[in-house]
Amino acid sequence: MKIEEENLSKHNLTLIDKWVEIIGGKLSYLYFFIVFISFYEIIARYLFNNPTDWVHESSIALAGFLMIYAGLFSYGRNKHIKVPILLNKVSPKLKNILEMFANIITLIYLGLLSYASYFIAKSAAFSPSGDLMLERSGSAWNPPFAGLLKVSLFILFIIFFIQVICKLQKHFHYYNKGE
């Protein structure tokens, strides 16, 4: 655990970034699970002529969740997609101001996305009468993955929003120090 903590501090991560990274390290094993069940499906389908009802839906739901989580993970490490041509040519102070501007735009986007996903998650998790009833896929297997995925996406967007606030707070701190 000591080595892992040293690696995390090297990246200048906020507390929420550290948690996202630790949890992400554990969740990354789900990719192996997706590969394993996909391999199982191939064997079942083509060798035994007995395809499954559950592999496709399970792998799609897991992959969708993991892709959104990968956004949190890469943002925390500052490895998200950006074009640094301008940032590399300006002073550190201006770079910090541009980063703050980008974070504010990101906050607005994530705020709107969280707001919209709240209503989607609410309708996917609760019946019109207010009872907890997760939306189901409607397939032959009919798992509640659709409801779980929509609720988890809302939660991940909220975490992402908090993550951006923490980064923005760090940039404001550097700005106020004159760095």
Side-chain angles (χ1 to χ4, degrees), residues 37-166:
I37 64 174
S38 297
F39 180 73
Y40 174 80
E41 170 67 17
I42 291 167
I43 299 297
R45 178 179 299 265
Y46 295 109
L47 288 181
F48 300 109
N49 198 24
N50 188 17
T52 65
D53 290 337
W54 57 273
V55 169
H56 180 71
E57 286 185 78
S58 301
S59 61
I60 294 297
L62 281 173
F65 173 81
L66 291 171
M67 288 298 171
I68 297 296
Y69 200 90
L72 293 170
F73 191 89
S74 63
Y75 184 80
R77 282 191 157 198
N78 203 22
K79 299 289 184 191
H80 53 288
I81 297 172
K82 60 182 173 179
V83 182
I85 285 176
L86 292 175
L87 291 177
N88 291 342
K89 295 183 187 242
V90 298
S91 69
K93 186 172 184 171
L94 184 55
K95 181 178 180 178
N96 190 45
I97 291 170
L98 292 172
E99 291 281 358
M100 286 190 304
F101 176 73
N103 283 328
I104 290 169
I105 297 299
T106 303
L107 267 182
I108 293 168
Y109 172 74
L110 285 171
L112 293 171
L113 195 58
S114 299
Y115 178 77
S117 67
Y118 166 76
F119 295 106
I120 293 169
K122 184 179 174 187
S123 68
F126 296 100
S127 69
S129 64
D131 297 330
L132 179 63
M133 184 177 358
L134 288 173
E135 180 182 327
R136 296 185 167 272
S137 68
S139 68
W141 185 38
N142 204 25
F145 288 161
L148 289 172
L149 189 58
K150 290 174 183 178
V151 170
S152 67
L153 291 180
F154 168 67
I155 293 167
L156 290 177
F157 290 144
I158 295 296
I159 294 169
F160 207 159
F161 187 85
I162 294 167
Q163 190 180 30
V164 174
I165 288 173
C166 291

